[in-house]
Each structure stands twice: as structure tokens, then as C-alpha cells.
Amino acid sequence: MIFGIFKPYPSPLISGRGVDLDFPLLAGCLALLGLGLVMITSASSEVAAVQSGNPLYHMFRHLVYVVLGLGAGVMTMFVPIATWQRMGYLMLIGAFGLLVMVLIPGIGREVNGSMRWIGFSFFNVQPSEIAKVFVVIYLAGYLVRRQTEVRESWMGFFKPFIVLLPMAGLLLMEPDFGATVVMMGAAAAMLFLGGVGLFRFSLMVVLAVVSVVVLVQAQPYRMARLITFTDPWSDQFGSGYQLTQALIAFGRGEWLGVGLGNSVQKQFYLPEAHTDFVFSVLAEELGVVGSLLTIGLFVFVTIRALYIGLWAEKAKQFFAAYMAFGLAFLWIGQFLINIGVNVGLLPTKGLTLPFLSYGGSSLVICCACVGLLLRIEWESRTHLGSEEHEFKESDFAEETNHGR
């Protein structure tokens, strides 16, 4: 029973052609993982040396998360996409359960004033990272089941928000404003690609903007962040401290950087240097050139994920297509927000940079998403799960065109 979810055989890792993966996506994600390990080792060395006596403490922990993430990615490649579709409701219930648990005193763990983690003996789990992916999987199934209703009626358009709004409310109670924006943004993009009319989509955008304005004004600390980021130097040693230190890191980096490991800002000047602001340390040590190359890697993997969704759609595997689009937009949202915060284009917000930032939950979930995308690409290329194809193991003994 335990191994039943890994049927049918074969998988992208075990097929008639051996390992049959989308290597461009895999190579791009592995490059980001490797770069993240290097930058976290550099950015956390001073803090780790003082806090634990071992400058490589955070590096070793992150390496464990990388191994766990790679294991999660491999596991997801064995699970057929149809299984995820059948489990959509259970995942949605699980997401709500996790977000409720994290708010319960004694179960949820408070860090820096936020209840975002469920603490275990040696590690923490961040339910919002899991919930975002589960919402994408559920919404992909909804768009397939209710495709005509979504495209033609207001009710089909509003029904997903019966689920999304309570979940957004739970995220805001932690509070986790960044995760709420990313989740709702990915959901909106999926609805648009699912065929929601332009008028209804425009109305949703207007309502979303109004909601963000209301939420920002509802909490004084959010308004303070909004005011501060427009001119952080006006309160350089107060509310604008973190952003000014990040901007100093960018300025010190210039074109080619000060050299790997030579950052000054990581030496207790820039808070959260190895988590939310690891990109600032990267910019200081590797310069504009290294920063642009890193952004180029991000752009490549997200565009590749979108193309995987497009290929699945052409193969008439619509659930897989919507899921790929949703996962891609989760990455895009986090990339844009994190880098925007680091360079001062957006208010300071605690949101990790996928693949690069220190954080076990984020890293493991990112790797699992890569496994899902690799499975989607393989199934769409081999026509496993398509409406007009019946899968047989013998089908995979022959070579197919790898023109992608």
C-alpha cells in the first residue's frame, strides 16, 4: 500500500531509455542550489561562528536540507500526475489543517514576532510553504473540472475564492503577508490562463489592489515599512536600517564584487544576511555581473517551467499544465518580491529567495516542485495520461524525439 502511489511504472528515472529527464530545467535548478550553498556558507560564517562556535554550522544544516530536498524531488518524480489530481481535496484539507496548527500555542513556534513555524526537536516546518503548493494542485483540479463554468459564469469565477480567502486570512494571522501575496498572485494567474474573461479578471485585479491597500493600512508596522522603503535614509538607524545596509552591500559590490567571502555587510551589519537578504551579500561579493547571471538563471528556470506547462497543454494534459503554470508563478512571485526588497523597489518583507536562501521548508518544497515539473514534462512528452493515448510499458522501449 505504501508504494502504491508510485505506480504506474516506469517513471522519468526508470524507463526503457533509462534516466529520461528535462536536463535544461534540472541543470538550471542544480546550478541555483549549488550557488545557494556557496552563498549561505559565505553569508552565515560570521554569525555562525559567534552563535555556535562553528563558522560552517549553517552550511552543514543547509547541506542536510539540500539532501532532503533532492530526496523529495526524486520521490515526487515517481508519483503520477493523476495521483496528485485525485488527492487535491485531501491536500486542501491538509493545508488548512497545517495553517490552523501553526496558530495554536504550544504547537506553533514564534520567531521575530511571527507564528509561521511548527517546531520539532532539530528543525522547523513552515506550513505556508506547503500550503501554497497544495493550493496550486487543488486549483489546477478545479480548473479542469469546472472549465466551462470558469470561462462563462461569475459563479465559476468566484467559487475558488471561497477557499482562497479563508486561507489568506489564516496566513495573515501568522502574519505572513508575503506568502499571502504570492499565493493569491499565482491563483489569479492560473484563473486567467484557465480562461477567465478579461472583464472579470480586471475586476479581480482591482479588488486585489484595494485589498492590499486596506491590509497595509490595517497594521501600523506595514504602513511604517511602506513609508520607510521610499526613503530609508530618513531613518537610517531605525526602521530603514535593514534596507540601507542592503543598499550599501550593492554599492560596495560594484561591477565585479569584492570577492567571494569578502563581504563586510555580513559581519553583523546586515540582519538576516543568509536568509531574506542573501542576494545582497551575493551582489556585494560577486558584483553586478554575478547578480545579473543569477537573475538570468532564475529567468531561465521559470520560463522553462512555463514552457513545460505549455507542452502539457498541447498534449491535452490540462491538469498538469495548470499545475506547472501555478508552480512557475509561485517561483516568479517569490523571485520578484525577494529581489525587489533587496534592491529597495518593494517594502521590506520576510520572504525567502527560492533555491538560494537558508530555510529548510522553502528549499525542500522548491526541490519537490522541480520533481513535479520534471514528471509533468516527461508525461507530456511520452503522452502518458493524454486523452487519446493509453499507456503501456512497451511504449517506452523506443526512442522518442527530444527536440525540446
Side-chain angles (χ1 to χ4, degrees), residues 239-274:
S239 57
Y241 178 78
Q242 197 167 28
L243 180 54
T244 55
Q245 296 303 314
L247 294 176
I248 290 172
F250 278 93
R252 292 193 74 253
E254 297 184 349
W255 286 102
L256 298 177
V258 297
L260 189 63
N262 294 327
S263 168
V264 171
Q265 293 304 104
K266 70 182 181 182
Q267 298 177 12
F268 304 99
Y269 291 103
L270 178 60
E272 309 295 339
H274 60 294

Side-chain angles (χ1 to χ4, degrees), residues 11-327:
S11 76
L13 293 174
I14 306 173
S15 69
R17 295 183 301 274
V19 178
D20 188 18
L21 300 172
D22 182 56
F23 285 103
L25 175 67
L26 180 62
C29 293
L30 289 177
L32 287 172
L33 280 175
L35 179 61
L37 181 61
V38 171
M39 291 313 306
I40 285 168
T41 303
S42 174
S44 67
S45 59
E46 300 295 333
V47 174
V50 171
Q51 293 180 347
S52 68
N54 179 5
L56 299 180
Y57 173 78
H58 291 300
M59 186 273 283
F60 287 130
R61 284 180 64 89
H62 188 75
L63 188 59
V64 171
Y65 293 138
V66 169
V67 173
L68 291 175
L70 292 175
V74 169
M75 294 286 282
T76 55
M77 278 189 275
F78 281 100
V79 183
I81 299 303
T83 301
W84 297 107
Q85 186 172 4
R86 289 193 300 269
M87 295 171 60
Y89 282 109
L90 294 176
M91 290 184 172
L92 183 67
I93 295 170
F96 272 108
L98 288 170
L99 293 179
V100 170
M101 285 175 62
V102 78
L103 298 174
I104 300 175
I107 297 178
R109 181 180 178 186
E110 184 175 346
V111 178
N112 295 331
S114 298
M115 293 278 287
R116 300 181 187 176
W117 294 267
I118 296 176
F120 294 91
S121 56
F122 297 107
F123 63 95
N124 297 321
V125 174
Q126 191 170 0
S128 61
E129 295 291 338
I130 303 172
K132 287 184 294 186
V133 176
F134 284 5
V135 165
V136 165
I137 294 173
Y138 170 78
L139 190 55
Y142 174 82
L143 290 173
V144 171
R145 294 191 305 272
R146 305 287 184 177
Q147 188 174 63
T148 302
E149 190 177 357
V150 168
R151 294 180 176 181
E152 298 179 0
S153 73
W154 283 94
M155 186 56 65
F157 167 69
F158 281 119
K159 279 182 179 178
F161 293 96
I162 298 174
V163 171
L164 292 173
L165 292 178
M167 188 164 290
L170 289 172
L171 287 170
L172 290 172
M173 289 173 67
E174 297 182 7
D176 197 342
F177 188 66
T180 306
V181 171
V182 170
M183 183 190 74
M184 297 299 285
M190 291 175 69
L191 286 169
F192 181 72
L193 293 174
V196 170
L198 185 59
F199 174 73
R200 280 173 287 166
F201 182 76
S202 301
L203 177 62
M204 178 174 60
V205 172
V206 171
L207 291 174
V209 172
V210 172
S211 300
V212 169
V213 172
V214 172
L215 289 171
V216 167
Q217 294 179 341
Q219 293 290 339
Y221 80 92
R222 292 180 189 144
M223 181 58 70
R225 285 181 177 180
L226 182 64
I227 295 172
T228 301
F229 104 95
T230 58
D231 185 14
W233 304 100
S234 62
D235 191 11
Q236 180 179 353
F237 298 104
S239 57
Y241 178 78
Q242 197 167 28
L243 180 54
T244 55
Q245 296 303 314
L247 294 176
I248 290 172
F250 278 93
R252 292 193 74 253
E254 297 184 349
W255 286 102
L256 298 177
V258 297
L260 189 63
N262 294 327
S263 168
V264 171
Q265 293 304 104
K266 70 182 181 182
Q267 298 177 12
F268 304 99
Y269 291 103
L270 178 60
E272 309 295 339
H274 60 294
T275 56
D276 301 338
F277 283 84
V278 68
F279 189 75
S280 296
V281 177
L282 183 149
E284 183 181 4
E285 296 188 350
L286 304 183
V288 173
V289 175
S291 301
L292 291 179
L293 288 175
T294 303
I295 292 173
L297 268 177
F298 286 145
V299 171
F300 173 76
V301 298
T302 52
I303 289 179
R304 190 72 181 182
L306 291 172
Y307 266 106
I308 287 173
L310 181 62
W311 295 329
E313 190 174 35
K314 288 182 177 179
K316 299 186 183 300
Q317 299 176 3
F318 297 109
F319 171 79
Y322 293 137
M323 187 163 68
F325 291 142
L327 296 176

